[in-house]
Amino acid sequence: MGYPDPWPLRSLVLRTPRLELRPDDDAGLDELVAEAYAGVHPPAEMPFDQPWTDADPRYLGRGSLQHYWQQRSALSPESWSVHFLVRLDGRVVGVQSMSGARFAVTREVSSGSWIGMRHQGRGLGTEMRAAILMFAFDVLGAGSARSAAFPDNPASLAVSRRLGYLPDGTEIRERHGERVRQVRLLLTAHRFAEHRPPWRPEVTGAAACLGLLGAG
């Protein structure tokens, strides 16, 4: 090529015993949109801070694409969000996001995710979160990771508990026009060492991404 790859994230891959995680690309986002239309949670529930699944079905897909495009275009070493499309048997089943702000100084990441309803209940949420935590701690050199969930989202809280997160207070959020308490969760590298799964993800393409994520 003769010059550095302007978008090294295209070559980053995390492989777990069942899953493959790659930063979002347009073809994969089309699959993710299809999974969103197939259903993410029961209609009576809302696990997300931003109730994006309530969008008019005519615009849900376009809004989803625009969100990920915006996040991709705004990425910089000072503030970044990497949205890993999660593939099972070669098909996108959900997304595992990881973000960092001033990571070179803070050495802290935060995460969020969702899986299509038809793929839930199989331990995939734990596997994909564990993959990005190992990437954050082992490859990027993170010292801590944060997450959050509403009390009525037991699946997310169970994943966090399984991986060693501890409660870190609460904050008040607005959801559907109502005041709702959200549980903050914190995981340190030391604590994760005691709860990490026995496998390690196969990581390729990471070296070229370190500078872009403030970890170089």
PDB file of all heavy atoms in Angstrom, residues 64-85:
ATOM      1  N   SER A  64     -31.115   3.495  12.550  1.00  0.00           N
ATOM      2  CA  SER A  64     -30.035   2.643  13.052  1.00  0.00           C
ATOM      3  C   SER A  64     -28.767   2.834  12.239  1.00  0.00           C
ATOM      4  O   SER A  64     -27.670   3.005  12.792  1.00  0.00           O
ATOM      5  CB  SER A  64     -30.466   1.175  13.017  1.00  0.00           C
ATOM      6  OG  SER A  64     -31.548   0.936  13.901  1.00  0.00           O
ATOM      7  N   LEU A  65     -28.901   2.813  10.922  1.00  0.00           N
ATOM      8  CA  LEU A  65     -27.732   3.012  10.067  1.00  0.00           C
ATOM      9  C   LEU A  65     -27.086   4.364  10.333  1.00  0.00           C
ATOM     10  O   LEU A  65     -25.856   4.465  10.463  1.00  0.00           O
ATOM     11  CB  LEU A  65     -28.128   2.910   8.598  1.00  0.00           C
ATOM     12  CG  LEU A  65     -28.551   1.533   8.089  1.00  0.00           C
ATOM     13  CD1 LEU A  65     -28.978   1.635   6.627  1.00  0.00           C
ATOM     14  CD2 LEU A  65     -27.431   0.518   8.240  1.00  0.00           C
ATOM     15  N   GLN A  66     -27.899   5.413  10.439  1.00  0.00           N
ATOM     16  CA  GLN A  66     -27.351   6.747  10.656  1.00  0.00           C
ATOM     17  C   GLN A  66     -26.619   6.845  11.991  1.00  0.00           C
ATOM     18  O   GLN A  66     -25.596   7.529  12.106  1.00  0.00           O
ATOM     19  CB  GLN A  66     -28.466   7.788  10.576  1.00  0.00           C
ATOM     20  CG  GLN A  66     -28.994   7.981   9.155  1.00  0.00           C
ATOM     21  CD  GLN A  66     -30.176   8.934   9.101  1.00  0.00           C
ATOM     22  OE1 GLN A  66     -31.072   8.876   9.944  1.00  0.00           O
ATOM     23  NE2 GLN A  66     -30.179   9.815   8.115  1.00  0.00           N
ATOM     24  N   HIS A  67     -27.136   6.171  13.009  1.00  0.00           N
ATOM     25  CA  HIS A  67     -26.475   6.176  14.317  1.00  0.00           C
ATOM     26  C   HIS A  67     -25.072   5.587  14.207  1.00  0.00           C
ATOM     27  O   HIS A  67     -24.087   6.196  14.674  1.00  0.00           O
ATOM     28  CB  HIS A  67     -27.297   5.377  15.328  1.00  0.00           C
ATOM     29  CG  HIS A  67     -26.565   5.068  16.586  1.00  0.00           C
ATOM     30  ND1 HIS A  67     -26.287   6.016  17.554  1.00  0.00           N
ATOM     31  CD2 HIS A  67     -26.022   3.898  17.047  1.00  0.00           C
ATOM     32  CE1 HIS A  67     -25.623   5.467  18.545  1.00  0.00           C
ATOM     33  NE2 HIS A  67     -25.443   4.186  18.266  1.00  0.00           N
ATOM     34  N   TYR A  68     -24.961   4.408  13.606  1.00  0.00           N
ATOM     35  CA  TYR A  68     -23.649   3.768  13.522  1.00  0.00           C
ATOM     36  C   TYR A  68     -22.715   4.521  12.582  1.00  0.00           C
ATOM     37  O   TYR A  68     -21.508   4.611  12.859  1.00  0.00           O
ATOM     38  CB  TYR A  68     -23.805   2.302  13.107  1.00  0.00           C
ATOM     39  CG  TYR A  68     -24.448   1.470  14.192  1.00  0.00           C
ATOM     40  CD1 TYR A  68     -25.739   0.957  14.037  1.00  0.00           C
ATOM     41  CD2 TYR A  68     -23.789   1.219  15.389  1.00  0.00           C
ATOM     42  CE1 TYR A  68     -26.347   0.218  15.032  1.00  0.00           C
ATOM     43  CE2 TYR A  68     -24.387   0.479  16.397  1.00  0.00           C
ATOM     44  CZ  TYR A  68     -25.660  -0.013  16.222  1.00  0.00           C
ATOM     45  OH  TYR A  68     -26.251  -0.749  17.226  1.00  0.00           O
ATOM     46  N   TRP A  69     -23.230   5.071  11.506  1.00  0.00           N
ATOM     47  CA  TRP A  69     -22.399   5.888  10.628  1.00  0.00           C
ATOM     48  C   TRP A  69     -21.847   7.101  11.377  1.00  0.00           C
ATOM     49  O   TRP A  69     -20.681   7.457  11.227  1.00  0.00           O
ATOM     50  CB  TRP A  69     -23.196   6.341   9.410  1.00  0.00           C
ATOM     51  CG  TRP A  69     -23.523   5.260   8.431  1.00  0.00           C
ATOM     52  CD1 TRP A  69     -22.871   4.071   8.259  1.00  0.00           C
ATOM     53  CD2 TRP A  69     -24.595   5.269   7.478  1.00  0.00           C
ATOM     54  NE1 TRP A  69     -23.473   3.337   7.262  1.00  0.00           N
ATOM     55  CE2 TRP A  69     -24.521   4.050   6.761  1.00  0.00           C
ATOM     56  CE3 TRP A  69     -25.601   6.189   7.163  1.00  0.00           C
ATOM     57  CZ2 TRP A  69     -25.428   3.736   5.744  1.00  0.00           C
ATOM     58  CZ3 TRP A  69     -26.502   5.878   6.147  1.00  0.00           C
ATOM     59  CH2 TRP A  69     -26.412   4.659   5.451  1.00  0.00           C
ATOM     60  N   GLN A  70     -22.720   7.753  12.155  1.00  0.00           N
ATOM     61  CA  GLN A  70     -22.287   8.929  12.909  1.00  0.00           C
ATOM     62  C   GLN A  70     -21.195   8.562  13.915  1.00  0.00           C
ATOM     63  O   GLN A  70     -20.189   9.271  14.047  1.00  0.00           O
ATOM     64  CB  GLN A  70     -23.485   9.561  13.624  1.00  0.00           C
ATOM     65  CG  GLN A  70     -23.194  10.887  14.311  1.00  0.00           C
ATOM     66  CD  GLN A  70     -22.568  10.723  15.698  1.00  0.00           C
ATOM     67  OE1 GLN A  70     -22.817   9.745  16.385  1.00  0.00           O
ATOM     68  NE2 GLN A  70     -21.756  11.685  16.094  1.00  0.00           N
ATOM     69  N   GLN A  71     -21.384   7.459  14.608  1.00  0.00           N
ATOM     70  CA  GLN A  71     -20.400   7.024  15.583  1.00  0.00           C
ATOM     71  C   GLN A  71     -19.066   6.701  14.907  1.00  0.00           C
ATOM     72  O   GLN A  71     -17.994   7.036  15.415  1.00  0.00           O
ATOM     73  CB  GLN A  71     -20.922   5.792  16.318  1.00  0.00           C
ATOM     74  CG  GLN A  71     -22.136   6.037  17.180  1.00  0.00           C
ATOM     75  CD  GLN A  71     -21.774   6.508  18.567  1.00  0.00           C
ATOM     76  OE1 GLN A  71     -21.214   5.762  19.349  1.00  0.00           O
ATOM     77  NE2 GLN A  71     -22.063   7.751  18.865  1.00  0.00           N
ATOM     78  N   ARG A  72     -19.129   6.053  13.771  1.00  0.00           N
ATOM     79  CA  ARG A  72     -17.919   5.686  13.043  1.00  0.00           C
ATOM     80  C   ARG A  72     -17.172   6.948  12.584  1.00  0.00           C
ATOM     81  O   ARG A  72     -15.949   7.049  12.711  1.00  0.00           O
ATOM     82  CB  ARG A  72     -18.280   4.817  11.839  1.00  0.00           C
ATOM     83  CG  ARG A  72     -17.117   3.994  11.278  1.00  0.00           C
ATOM     84  CD  ARG A  72     -17.488   3.354   9.957  1.00  0.00           C
ATOM     85  NE  ARG A  72     -18.692   2.535  10.021  1.00  0.00           N
ATOM     86  CZ  ARG A  72     -19.285   2.039   8.936  1.00  0.00           C
ATOM     87  NH1 ARG A  72     -18.813   2.317   7.719  1.00  0.00           N
ATOM     88  NH2 ARG A  72     -20.363   1.293   9.045  1.00  0.00           N
ATOM     89  N   SER A  73     -17.907   7.918  12.052  1.00  0.00           N
ATOM     90  CA  SER A  73     -17.260   9.117  11.511  1.00  0.00           C
ATOM     91  C   SER A  73     -16.664   9.992  12.606  1.00  0.00           C
ATOM     92  O   SER A  73     -15.722  10.745  12.365  1.00  0.00           O
ATOM     93  CB  SER A  73     -18.265   9.936  10.687  1.00  0.00           C
ATOM     94  OG  SER A  73     -19.256  10.522  11.511  1.00  0.00           O
ATOM     95  N   ALA A  74     -17.190   9.907  13.823  1.00  0.00           N
ATOM     96  CA  ALA A  74     -16.714  10.758  14.916  1.00  0.00           C
ATOM     97  C   ALA A  74     -15.563  10.133  15.701  1.00  0.00           C
ATOM     98  O   ALA A  74     -15.006  10.768  16.599  1.00  0.00           O
ATOM     99  CB  ALA A  74     -17.874  11.060  15.870  1.00  0.00           C
ATOM    100  N   LEU A  75     -15.186   8.907  15.385  1.00  0.00           N
ATOM    101  CA  LEU A  75     -14.181   8.190  16.167  1.00  0.00           C
ATOM    102  C   LEU A  75     -12.822   8.889  16.104  1.00  0.00           C
ATOM    103  O   LEU A  75     -12.358   9.289  15.038  1.00  0.00           O
ATOM    104  CB  LEU A  75     -14.072   6.759  15.653  1.00  0.00           C
ATOM    105  CG  LEU A  75     -13.173   5.791  16.420  1.00  0.00           C
ATOM    106  CD1 LEU A  75     -13.757   4.385  16.396  1.00  0.00           C
ATOM    107  CD2 LEU A  75     -11.770   5.777  15.799  1.00  0.00           C
ATOM    108  N   SER A  76     -12.184   9.033  17.265  1.00  0.00           N
ATOM    109  CA  SER A  76     -10.853   9.616  17.353  1.00  0.00           C
ATOM    110  C   SER A  76     -10.162   9.037  18.583  1.00  0.00           C
ATOM    111  O   SER A  76     -10.826   8.455  19.455  1.00  0.00           O
ATOM    112  CB  SER A  76     -10.939  11.134  17.478  1.00  0.00           C
ATOM    113  OG  SER A  76     -11.385  11.515  18.772  1.00  0.00           O
ATOM    114  N   PRO A  77      -8.845   9.180  18.714  1.00  0.00           N
ATOM    115  CA  PRO A  77      -8.167   8.660  19.907  1.00  0.00           C
ATOM    116  C   PRO A  77      -8.691   9.271  21.203  1.00  0.00           C
ATOM    117  O   PRO A  77      -8.597   8.647  22.269  1.00  0.00           O
ATOM    118  CB  PRO A  77      -6.700   9.042  19.664  1.00  0.00           C
ATOM    119  CG  PRO A  77      -6.570   9.122  18.180  1.00  0.00           C
ATOM    120  CD  PRO A  77      -7.885   9.697  17.722  1.00  0.00           C
ATOM    121  N   GLU A  78      -9.240  10.489  21.135  1.00  0.00           N
ATOM    122  CA  GLU A  78      -9.739  11.155  22.338  1.00  0.00           C
ATOM    123  C   GLU A  78     -11.126  10.676  22.750  1.00  0.00           C
ATOM    124  O   GLU A  78     -11.490  10.736  23.926  1.00  0.00           O
ATOM    125  CB  GLU A  78      -9.777  12.668  22.126  1.00  0.00           C
ATOM    126  CG  GLU A  78      -8.419  13.336  22.026  1.00  0.00           C
ATOM    127  CD  GLU A  78      -7.714  13.028  20.706  1.00  0.00           C
ATOM    128  OE1 GLU A  78      -8.396  12.933  19.665  1.00  0.00           O
ATOM    129  OE2 GLU A  78      -6.476  12.860  20.729  1.00  0.00           O
ATOM    130  N   SER A  79     -11.916  10.231  21.806  1.00  0.00           N
ATOM    131  CA  SER A  79     -13.279   9.782  22.102  1.00  0.00           C
ATOM    132  C   SER A  79     -13.712   8.790  21.034  1.00  0.00           C
ATOM    133  O   SER A  79     -13.794   9.144  19.859  1.00  0.00           O
ATOM    134  CB  SER A  79     -14.237  10.979  22.125  1.00  0.00           C
ATOM    135  OG  SER A  79     -15.557  10.560  22.388  1.00  0.00           O
ATOM    136  N   TRP A  80     -13.978   7.569  21.437  1.00  0.00           N
ATOM    137  CA  TRP A  80     -14.306   6.548  20.447  1.00  0.00           C
ATOM    138  C   TRP A  80     -15.358   5.564  20.962  1.00  0.00           C
ATOM    139  O   TRP A  80     -15.497   5.335  22.159  1.00  0.00           O
ATOM    140  CB  TRP A  80     -13.055   5.773  20.022  1.00  0.00           C
ATOM    141  CG  TRP A  80     -12.204   5.230  21.124  1.00  0.00           C
ATOM    142  CD1 TRP A  80     -11.084   5.810  21.670  1.00  0.00           C
ATOM    143  CD2 TRP A  80     -12.369   3.987  21.837  1.00  0.00           C
ATOM    144  NE1 TRP A  80     -10.564   5.018  22.663  1.00  0.00           N
ATOM    145  CE2 TRP A  80     -11.320   3.889  22.782  1.00  0.00           C
ATOM    146  CE3 TRP A  80     -13.296   2.945  21.761  1.00  0.00           C
ATOM    147  CZ2 TRP A  80     -11.175   2.805  23.641  1.00  0.00           C
ATOM    148  CZ3 TRP A  80     -13.171   1.847  22.623  1.00  0.00           C
ATOM    149  CH2 TRP A  80     -12.112   1.792  23.555  1.00  0.00           C
ATOM    150  N   SER A  81     -16.096   5.047  20.013  1.00  0.00           N
ATOM    151  CA  SER A  81     -17.025   3.942  20.262  1.00  0.00           C
ATOM    152  C   SER A  81     -16.842   2.953  19.123  1.00  0.00           C
ATOM    153  O   SER A  81     -16.987   3.325  17.950  1.00  0.00           O
ATOM    154  CB  SER A  81     -18.479   4.420  20.303  1.00  0.00           C
ATOM    155  OG  SER A  81     -18.720   5.229  21.434  1.00  0.00           O
ATOM    156  N   VAL A  82     -16.500   1.740  19.455  1.00  0.00           N
ATOM    157  CA  VAL A  82     -16.350   0.673  18.464  1.00  0.00           C
ATOM    158  C   VAL A  82     -17.518  -0.276  18.642  1.00  0.00           C
ATOM    159  O   VAL A  82     -17.732  -0.819  19.739  1.00  0.00           O
ATOM    160  CB  VAL A  82     -15.012  -0.070  18.631  1.00  0.00           C
ATOM    161  CG1 VAL A  82     -14.912  -1.194  17.602  1.00  0.00           C
ATOM    162  CG2 VAL A  82     -13.839   0.883  18.488  1.00  0.00           C
ATOM    163  N   HIS A  83     -18.288  -0.456  17.586  1.00  0.00           N
ATOM    164  CA  HIS A  83     -19.468  -1.314  17.630  1.00  0.00           C
ATOM    165  C   HIS A  83     -19.139  -2.620  16.911  1.00  0.00           C
ATOM    166  O   HIS A  83     -19.110  -2.684  15.682  1.00  0.00           O
ATOM    167  CB  HIS A  83     -20.652  -0.610  16.990  1.00  0.00           C
ATOM    168  CG  HIS A  83     -20.969   0.711  17.636  1.00  0.00           C
ATOM    169  ND1 HIS A  83     -21.600   0.799  18.858  1.00  0.00           N
ATOM    170  CD2 HIS A  83     -20.706   1.984  17.259  1.00  0.00           C
ATOM    171  CE1 HIS A  83     -21.734   2.070  19.197  1.00  0.00           C
ATOM    172  NE2 HIS A  83     -21.194   2.813  18.245  1.00  0.00           N
ATOM    173  N   PHE A  84     -18.880  -3.659  17.704  1.00  0.00           N
ATOM    174  CA  PHE A  84     -18.536  -4.962  17.149  1.00  0.00           C
ATOM    175  C   PHE A  84     -19.810  -5.695  16.733  1.00  0.00           C
ATOM    176  O   PHE A  84     -20.670  -5.986  17.578  1.00  0.00           O
ATOM    177  CB  PHE A  84     -17.795  -5.811  18.177  1.00  0.00           C
ATOM    178  CG  PHE A  84     -16.402  -5.349  18.496  1.00  0.00           C
ATOM    179  CD1 PHE A  84     -16.165  -4.454  19.533  1.00  0.00           C
ATOM    180  CD2 PHE A  84     -15.316  -5.819  17.768  1.00  0.00           C
ATOM    181  CE1 PHE A  84     -14.880  -4.037  19.838  1.00  0.00           C
ATOM    182  CE2 PHE A  84     -14.020  -5.414  18.059  1.00  0.00           C
ATOM    183  CZ  PHE A  84     -13.798  -4.513  19.102  1.00  0.00           C
ATOM    184  N   LEU A  85     -19.933  -5.987  15.448  1.00  0.00           N
ATOM    185  CA  LEU A  85     -21.032  -6.831  15.000  1.00  0.00           C
ATOM    186  C   LEU A  85     -20.710  -8.264  15.403  1.00  0.00           C
ATOM    187  O   LEU A  85     -19.613  -8.764  15.157  1.00  0.00           O
ATOM    188  CB  LEU A  85     -21.207  -6.726  13.485  1.00  0.00           C
ATOM    189  CG  LEU A  85     -21.537  -5.319  12.966  1.00  0.00           C
ATOM    190  CD1 LEU A  85     -21.709  -5.345  11.451  1.00  0.00           C
ATOM    191  CD2 LEU A  85     -22.774  -4.756  13.639  1.00  0.00           C
TER     192      LEU A  85
END
